[in-house]
Amino acid sequence: MRLFAACILSLLVLSTEVWARSAEDDHSRLRADTEALFQAGRDLAEVKLAIDRMVDPTVNIEIGRTEIDRMADDVKTIVGASASTAEKLEALKRYIYKPGPWNNRRPFEYDLTDPLGDTLANRKLSRYLETRRGNCVTMPILFQLLGERLGLRVTLAEAPLHLFVKYTDNDGKEWNLETTSGGGFTRDIWYRQKLPMTDRAVEIGTYLRPLSREELIATMAAYLVEHYLSTGDYRKATVVADVLLGHYPNSAYLLTKKGTAYYGLLQTEVIGKFKRMEDIPPEMREQADVWYRENKVAFERAETLGWRPLEEPSK
């Protein structure tokens, strides 16, 4: 009987070790796949589709990229080879938002039933292309991808819980384009009134600033962190968040998501399992202290960047 019990114990220990190695290998692959999104020269449409495929393996990157290329070619054909930058911009707006033969009289519209993309499946570019109903994430991303293919100087910019397009004209002047409203020109003050943000957040560039390529990719890939938070895989959420923050360390949004992931670990692995402090094993207490510190540091860092808890629920 003692020998049998010892064998069972050995098997349990071995099983735990194998599981731990498997989890670490899984996290290493996830880390590598996330880092690969930032490979120099990689097409941004392919990057966005690769992000979506990491969430949903049925996403076809080649089909999605071909569709983006086709749409950009349609606009080029409509506007002509000699078109000015301003003409290309107006043609792109018309192509996306106005019904006509160019879009089979099915313009892309703002989905008022899910304006923030709270339903994570609606964050996929393929879903937006299929339904033509978008949110404040997919709409600016598509506009940016098409604009870039037309030779326009466009990137994304952030406001609290919102993305929009930053366009630079031939004179070097920057313009805000609100893609949830036909790509219209929008002043900074409008965003500040509709999406309250601190003066510090604007002054240091947390919001309303054109994003670099790395920052743009990290912002798009925040979708991965949100996905793992929604499925309760908080360890994977921290793995992805750390990679993204390595490329965009001043992302207040990613910092709050990282902090939320560590709060999730504390809730599921400690608070939800042990009713009394004295019941927590010493090694788990040490781990809990680490998770608590990571949670605290992430939110404190976000606050130094001008983020405030009123922007979204904090943990």
Side-chain angles (χ1 to χ4, degrees), residues 203-238:
E203 290 168 3
I204 66 177
T206 302
Y207 301 125
L208 306 184
R209 173 183 60 82
L211 299 179
S212 69
R213 186 180 190 278
E214 276 192 291
E215 292 169 339
L216 189 157
I217 292 172
T219 299
M220 291 196 299
Y223 178 37
L224 294 174
V225 183
E226 293 164 334
H227 165 68
Y228 290 123
L229 288 175
S230 72
T231 60
D233 200 333
Y234 301 115
R235 293 179 188 271
K236 286 186 178 180
T238 64

Side-chain angles (χ1 to χ4, degrees), residues 34-51 65 141 144-145 148-149 153-158 163 166 209-222 243-244 246-249 251 254:
T34 306
E35 188 63 53
L37 298 171
F38 296 89
Q39 181 180 350
R42 194 171 181 183
D43 178 66
L44 286 176
E46 179 189 332
V47 170
K48 169 55 180 165
L49 292 163
I51 292 167
R65 184 172 178 175
I141 287 176
Q144 191 279 330
L145 296 177
E148 185 176 69
R149 277 165 162 69
R153 294 169 63 187
V154 286
T155 187
L156 300 183
E158 292 180 281
L163 295 177
K166 278 282 189 179
R209 173 183 60 82
L211 299 179
S212 69
R213 186 180 190 278
E214 276 192 291
E215 292 169 339
L216 189 157
I217 292 172
T219 299
M220 291 196 299
V243 173
L244 302 184
H247 292 273
Y248 188 3
S251 171
L254 282 169

Side-chain angles (χ1 to χ4, degrees), residues 132-185:
R132 305 203 177 187
R133 292 169 63 83
N135 49 63
C136 64
V137 176
T138 55
M139 298 186 84
I141 287 176
L142 177 62
F143 196 101
Q144 191 279 330
L145 296 177
L146 291 173
E148 185 176 69
R149 277 165 162 69
L150 295 173
L152 301 178
R153 294 169 63 187
V154 286
T155 187
L156 300 183
E158 292 180 281
L161 301 179
H162 188 74
L163 295 177
F164 61 96
V165 170
K166 278 282 189 179
Y167 160 67
T168 303
D169 65 20
N170 289 341
D171 295 325
K173 183 175 180 179
E174 292 179 352
W175 301 85
N176 303 325
L177 304 179
E178 183 46 55
T179 56
T180 65
S181 183
F185 294 108

